[in-house]
């Protein structure tokens, strides 16, 4: 009987439960990384978030440049993928990437909700500050892109709060969190880069409402003398941020947590939570 069980275990994989080995490995990676990110000091949170805002800004520059030359949102969105690649390879932090990994670590008992709030708030503010500063430099260094920045930003700040806008923001939260999940489902840098470009194509190419990416576009337009102000940006930003969170948390993250229920229970027991 024992030999039959060993044979079945070899056939099904090494995990101690019904979960596939690859899913278990991905879960372990997510919990480990999430715990590390959540136990950062304020200095680490802010500097990592600041770097994330700066790096994603270079993707926005390419988005402007390609759109100005081609008039194609899809090609511009693909070019923006460089910003996501920079985030992956430089190990920086983007606010909207914090819906799956840190939340899983909290649910698994490896960190607290207070630490999650610190990560979210610090990263969000630092992303915006870093992006605002880089967009100021871009507008003054590349004045030919000013008109493109204003045109691109107008799409967002003039959008009414209706079902279409809400759906665009909700989909953006799903897309960015799915990209994060794909990148944590592999150890291949090539696969992670492919996922980054795929996420960029969906988010920027389809002009979904993404709180950080599109805020940087708006900041560039404001630096370029756009006919709207920061109040218009805030009126758009607050609901987009909440709906980005709802999409990422209620769809991708929740489904993954339900799928990983047994692993979470074992992790919580090991953590004494």
């Amino acid at each position: 009987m024992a030999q039959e069980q060993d044979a079945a275990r070899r056939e099904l994989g090494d995990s101690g439960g019904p979960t596939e080995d690859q899913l278990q490995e991905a879960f372990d990676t997510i919990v480990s990384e999430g715990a590390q990110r959540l136990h950062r000091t304020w200095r680490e949170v802010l500097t990592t978030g600041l770097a994330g805002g700066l790096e994603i800004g270079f993707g926005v520059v390419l988005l402007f440049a390609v759109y100005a030359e081609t008039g194609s949102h899809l090609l511009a969105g693909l070019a923006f993928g460089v910003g996501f690649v920079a985030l992956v390879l430089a190990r920086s932090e983007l606010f909207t990437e914090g819906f799956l990994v840190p939340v899983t670590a909290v649910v698994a008992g490896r960190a607290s909700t207070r630490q999650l709030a610190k990560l979210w708030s610090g990263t969000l503010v630092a992303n915006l500050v870093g992006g605002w500063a880089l967009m100021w430099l871009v507008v003054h260094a590349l004045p030919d892109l000013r008109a493109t920045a204003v045109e691109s930003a107008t799409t967002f700040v003039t959008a009414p709060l209706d079902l279409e806008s809400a759906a665009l923001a909700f989909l953006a939260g799903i897309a960015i969190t799915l990209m994060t999940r794909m990148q944590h489902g592999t150890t291949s840098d090539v696969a992670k880069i492919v996922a980054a470009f795929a996420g960029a194509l969906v988010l920027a190419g389809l002009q979904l409402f993404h709180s950080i990416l599109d805020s940087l576009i708006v900041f560039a337009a404001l630096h370029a003398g756009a006919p709207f102000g920061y109040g218009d940006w805030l009126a758009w930003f607050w609901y987009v941020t909440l709906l980005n969170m709802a999409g990422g948390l209620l769809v991708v993250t929740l489904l993954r947590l339900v799928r990983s229920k047994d692993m979470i229970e074992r992790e919580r027991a090991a953590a004494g939570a």
Side-chain angles (χ1 to χ4, degrees):
M1 186 65 176
Q3 292 178 345
E4 291 178 357
Q5 291 177 339
D6 291 340
R9 175 63 58 79
R10 285 192 297 271
E11 181 179 349
L12 294 173
D14 298 326
S15 60
T19 309
E20 298 90 341
D21 292 339
Q22 291 181 341
L23 186 60
Q24 179 69 58
E25 292 172 4
F27 175 80
D28 292 340
T29 300
I30 287 173
V31 171
S32 176
E33 180 181 325
Q36 292 175 15
R37 287 162 64 177
L38 287 164
H39 284 84
R40 289 173 179 165
T41 63
W42 272 110
R43 174 180 57 83
E44 293 170 325
V45 169
L46 293 175
T47 53
T48 305
L50 188 66
L54 293 170
E55 288 157 10
I56 207 71
F58 284 102
V60 174
V61 176
L62 288 174
L63 183 151
F64 288 157
V66 172
Y67 182 70
E69 291 294 327
T70 67
S72 170
H73 290 295
L74 289 176
L75 290 177
L78 194 61
F80 170 74
V82 172
F84 281 156
V85 172
L87 287 174
V88 172
L89 298 183
R91 307 295 181 185
S92 300
E93 189 88 45
L94 193 66
F95 165 69
T96 49
E97 290 184 306
F99 301 151
L100 173 65
V101 178
V103 170
T104 302
V106 171
V107 174
R110 294 299 182 179
S112 66
T113 54
R114 182 176 180 178
Q115 290 171 311
L116 179 62
K118 179 179 75 173
L119 178 68
W120 278 351
S121 60
T123 303
L124 176 61
V125 172
N127 282 168
L128 294 175
V129 171
W132 184 93
L134 187 66
M135 290 301 101
W136 184 90
L137 288 173
V138 168
V139 166
H140 288 82
L142 302 169
D144 290 344
L145 297 180
R146 293 181 180 182
T148 303
V150 174
E151 177 187 345
S152 300
T154 302
T155 301
F156 306 112
V157 296
T158 60
L161 177 49
D162 56 12
L163 180 59
E164 180 181 349
S165 296
L168 286 169
F170 193 79
L171 282 173
I174 295 174
I176 189 69
T177 310
L178 178 59
M179 185 189 79
T180 302
R181 176 63 187 89
M182 289 191 294
Q183 290 174 334
H184 283 82
T186 179
T187 58
S188 168
D189 285 339
V190 173
K192 291 178 180 180
I193 290 172
V194 170
F197 277 105
L201 184 60
V202 173
L203 283 167
L206 298 180
Q207 292 187 290
L208 301 185
F209 285 7
H210 184 273
S211 56
I212 304 300
L213 158 61
D214 299 334
S215 287
L216 267 60
I217 293 174
V218 175
F219 291 160
L222 289 168
H223 292 317
F228 46 79
Y230 286 95
D232 299 299
W233 164 69
L234 283 173
W236 171 88
F237 177 76
W238 74 266
Y239 76 82
V240 171
T241 302
L242 293 178
L243 287 168
N244 282 172
M245 295 178 69
L249 293 171
L250 298 179
V251 179
V252 181
T253 301
L254 181 59
L255 287 175
R256 295 299 172 182
L257 292 177
V258 172
R259 178 66 180 85
S260 306
K261 178 176 179 293
D262 294 337
M263 289 181 287
I264 290 172
E265 290 177 348
R266 290 195 296 270
E267 190 71 26
R268 289 182 63 86

